[in-house]
Amino acid sequence: MLTLHHLEYSQSFRILWLLEALHAEYELKLYNRDPETNLAPDDYKALSPLGTAPVITDGDVVLAESNAIIDYILDSYPDSDLNPKAGHKDRARHLFWYHTSPGSLMPLQSIAMVLGLLETRSPWLISALLKAVFGQVRKMFLNPRMETLLGEMEKDLGAQPFFGGDNLTVADITLVYPMYAARDKGIFNNGFANINAWFGRIEDLDSFKSARAKDNRDRIAFRFQN
Amino acid sequence: MLTLHHLEYSQSFRILWLLEALHAEYELKLYNRDPETNLAPDDYKALSPLGTAPVITDGDVVLAESNAIIDYILDSYPDSDLNPKAGHKDRARHLFWYHTSPGSLMPLQSIAMVLGLLETRSPWLISALLKAVFGQVRKMFLNPRMETLLGEMEKDLGAQPFFGGDNLTVADITLVYPMYAARDKGIFNNGFANINAWFGRIEDLDSFKSARAKDNRDRIAFRFQN
């Protein structure tokens, strides 16, 4: 039987939601972050080839990387609506958002996270200088790319209810982590009516509710304490 | 007919190689980077939803994001060996490396690129300070993650000749861009016998040679001039 090794407040929430949406039989193993370092515990890191969440085990297979795990699990559900097939009218849209999550959204968030941590964890004089330097990176590089991406999201979610199109797909499921991380930072507080409606829509789904119940945490995404 | 809009020295080289490996019929449109800004020209940015390369057009479909394009093109070649099917012995390995390229390798490279550009393009006193601060990020965050990832590559390429397993797959094709970018930086100069053998192996392939000929550039990956 497939085992999901779920690290709290991590990207493995996606896989938990996927398995609930598929009504899959699986074993769930929960891991807490180290309270000092916030990192995965040693037994988790030893299991995962890159030391990162999520990771699943299935017989001899040990697999990391969210979208790799999603594709692997979907192999056992070839008729699932979560994966629009070749020729489906929503196929291109679904593929775009499925791969944009790791390919564009999360890298921008990772860069922003590193810069933000450097600013907030440096002594004040260095922090002030870093803020001035990083302000240029945000203005010239990060913000325009993020605005374009969020603009595409808002437009597409105005045309169809889910990132995957007319139905929930694994595009929505893989985007759940970076979208909640962005919402926690207040990015959608002003405007973004269609994106905010999407949050409401997924939160109404039974599969999302049961994943949240099994996760049993106050929020989905990890948040650094400054 | 499908059109590949190929920006020189960009991630769209992957799609060029894929189309050559599939012996596909397609139209190739070449775009040069702006010689001042190094960015894609305005007609390219207008075409691409995120303003990024690669992008393809196919009738009404306009699609960006490398792995989304790869999955979309593979839909027309359901029997291709470039995509090991569900149940194939190399399936999990192939999926891992296919998704690790955008999901782990490229984000680490993007963070390293931003930090490196900030260091080299700042006035010397600020640059010296940034180097001290960023040295900690490299030591604590970037280097351990990159070493783990390269270690997994070296191990897996010692066991089977391609990232995809026994045969070239789209895992190898999507990794081509970040791997050449890493090689250009000298990362594989010492050791990494299996990774270096992989470079030799793909460079011997007819599909790779014809993609390089159509690309007609001195190297694959973009390089900032410091």
Side-chain angles (χ1 to χ4, degrees), chain B residues 55-76:
Chain B
V55 65
I56 60 161
T57 48
D58 184 25
D60 292 339
V61 171
V62 181
L63 190 58
E65 204 68 56
S66 293
N67 279 17
I69 295 171
I70 292 171
D71 280 359
Y72 178 85
I73 291 173
L74 285 174
D75 281 352
S76 299

Side-chain angles (χ1 to χ4, degrees), chain A residues 49-50 63-65 67-68 71-72 75 86 91-92 95-96 99-100 102-104 118 129-130 133-134 137 148-149 152, chain B residues 49-50 63-65 67-68 71-72 75 86 91-92 95-96 99-100 102-104 111 118 129-130 133-134 137 148-149 152:
Chain A
L50 303 182
L63 190 58
E65 204 67 57
N67 280 17
D71 280 0
Y72 178 86
D75 281 351
R91 176 72 172 165
L95 288 176
F96 175 73
H99 292 290
T100 290
S104 290
L118 284 171
L129 179 87
L130 293 179
V133 174
F134 295 168
V137 181
T148 301
L149 187 47
E152 286 293 309
Chain B
L50 303 183
L63 190 58
E65 204 68 56
N67 279 17
D71 280 359
Y72 178 85
D75 281 352
R91 176 71 172 166
L95 288 175
F96 175 73
H99 292 290
T100 290
S104 289
I111 294 168
L118 284 171
L129 181 85
L130 293 178
V133 174
F134 295 168
V137 181
T148 302
L149 187 47
E152 286 294 309

Side-chain angles (χ1 to χ4, degrees), chain A residues 24-63:
Chain A
E25 282 191 52
Y26 65 101
E27 189 188 349
L28 179 62
K29 280 193 73 174
L30 280 163
Y31 298 72
N32 294 337
R33 287 176 181 267
D34 182 300
E36 289 289 315
T37 66
N38 288 319
L39 297 174
D42 287 342
D43 55 342
Y44 199 96
K45 285 191 275 193
L47 192 63
S48 172
L50 303 182
T52 55
V55 65
I56 60 162
T57 47
D58 184 25
D60 292 340
V61 171
V62 181
L63 190 58

Side-chain angles (χ1 to χ4, degrees), chain B residues 124 148 189:
Chain B
W124 72 270
T148 302
N189 284 358

